[in-house]
Amino acid sequence: MKKDFLFTSESVSEGHPDKVCDRISDMVVDTYLDVEPQSRVACETLTTTNKVVLAGETRGPEINKDQLIQKVRDCIKDIGYDQEGFTWKDATKIESHLHSQSADIAMGVDSSGNKDEGAGDQGIMFGFACNETEVLMPAPIHFSHKILRLMAEDRKSGKLSSIEPDSKSQITIEYKDGKPYSVKSVVISTQHSADVNQSQVRELVKPYIEKSIPKSLINGLEDNEIYVNPTGNFVIGGPDGDSGLTGRKIIVDTYGGAAPHGGGAFSGKDPTKVDRSAAYASRYLAKNVVASGIADKCLIQLAYAIGVSKPLSIYVDLFDNDEEKNRHVEKLISENFDLSPRGIREMLGLNKPIYQRTAAYGHFGRNPESDGAFSWEKTDKSDVFNK
């Protein structure tokens, strides 16, 4: 593996059109799970100028369509959109085309007789962790998320004015001997009100770079290596400037390209879908491996077949060319963790309305919360891997 290199990751804010869709789809998941924890949901969202469309399958309680549409408006309002081309008010038309889950899918997933509940689909899921940051995430994606999250917090509180919801960030880091050494460039593109010019936007944004990245990494960053709205004006943004769809920012959601991603997105899916729950489980395993101190990095792959409860394969790479240790960790995982869909949900407590907050600023590298959100970020099983 290369030891000296440049690596870049990007993030997008909660006001990005695709992230608006992820938030709405996860709101639908939370709405069903809040009433019935065993609900099944697979919801996709489309947004464009003054329009939102929901589509997908559900199984569970009857949710009033008008109630759901009002919750969509609440999401848009919380994100911060009340613009001519996209608003939480009635000018934005909202359609719901959700319908009952396919009986064929339900038959394959449901438990019956001696058959345990099966996976909701075939697929591969990856988990990754490394000791580059305190949250055991790759540095470029972690700091890219942090910039936009801090900007959004201050925008919503009123501390940061003239900045609108749609933003992107991108950080390039120079690695030496495989470790982050210095930030080589930062790119921030952010929607803004018409009453500020680009030099003013630049001055509004720069403090968030300094708050988000350790001084040791940005001490040598030159002013001309900070790019703010490099194309110029960015007044028209969000779904009015570009259409959005659920599940189009999967690399932003995971590891910023520093590790593989499986075939599926997360948002809009209840935790019987292994696209979501097994990706969380594999992150949980990888993070506990690295937290144990036996490796600086860990990649884990799980594979499933629809209707089959146990994973078809478990793959571990500790990036140290020690095949015996890799196999030992695989054995420890098999012996100590139930990685069936039911086992994952019970282990991580996933049948809860905890998913809206995952829809922006990454599903990983977050702090576990008291109500069970981000439970997959705990390192309470690191002792397993010290054996």
Side-chain angles (χ1 to χ4, degrees), residues 113-128:
N114 294 324
K115 174 184 173 294
D116 193 11
E117 178 185 299
D121 202 353
Q122 71 174 45
I124 56 173
M125 296 82 210
F126 288 96
F128 181 72

Side-chain angles (χ1 to χ4, degrees), residues 173-212:
I173 291 182
E174 179 184 15
Y175 284 71
K176 288 192 175 181
D177 197 27
K179 300 292 184 181
Y181 179 75
S182 67
V183 173
K184 302 305 291 182
S185 67
V186 177
V187 183
I188 299 177
S189 296
T190 183
Q191 186 186 14
H192 58 86
S193 59
D195 59 355
V196 291
N197 59 39
Q198 294 311 305
S199 63
Q200 291 171 313
V201 172
R202 185 181 183 88
E203 292 308 309
L204 289 169
V205 163
K206 282 178 66 177
Y208 294 93
I209 298 172
E210 297 166 2
K211 291 178 188 177
S212 302

Side-chain angles (χ1 to χ4, degrees), residues 207-219:
Y208 294 93
I209 298 172
E210 297 166 2
K211 291 178 188 177
S212 302
I213 305 173
K215 287 184 179 179
S216 59
L217 292 178
I218 60 169
N219 276 342

Side-chain angles (χ1 to χ4, degrees), residues 15-17 20 47-51 81 85-86 166 237-244:
H16 185 282
V20 173
T47 61
T48 185
T49 303
N50 280 335
K51 196 173 189 66
Y81 279 117
F86 195 69
D166 191 359
D240 187 30
D242 192 8
S243 62

Side-chain angles (χ1 to χ4, degrees), residues 25-41:
S25 292
D26 277 336
M27 174 277 294
V28 174
V29 174
D30 282 353
T31 299
Y32 276 85
L33 292 179
D34 191 42
V35 179
E36 171 49 65
Q38 305 304 320
S39 294
R40 303 276 173 81
V41 181

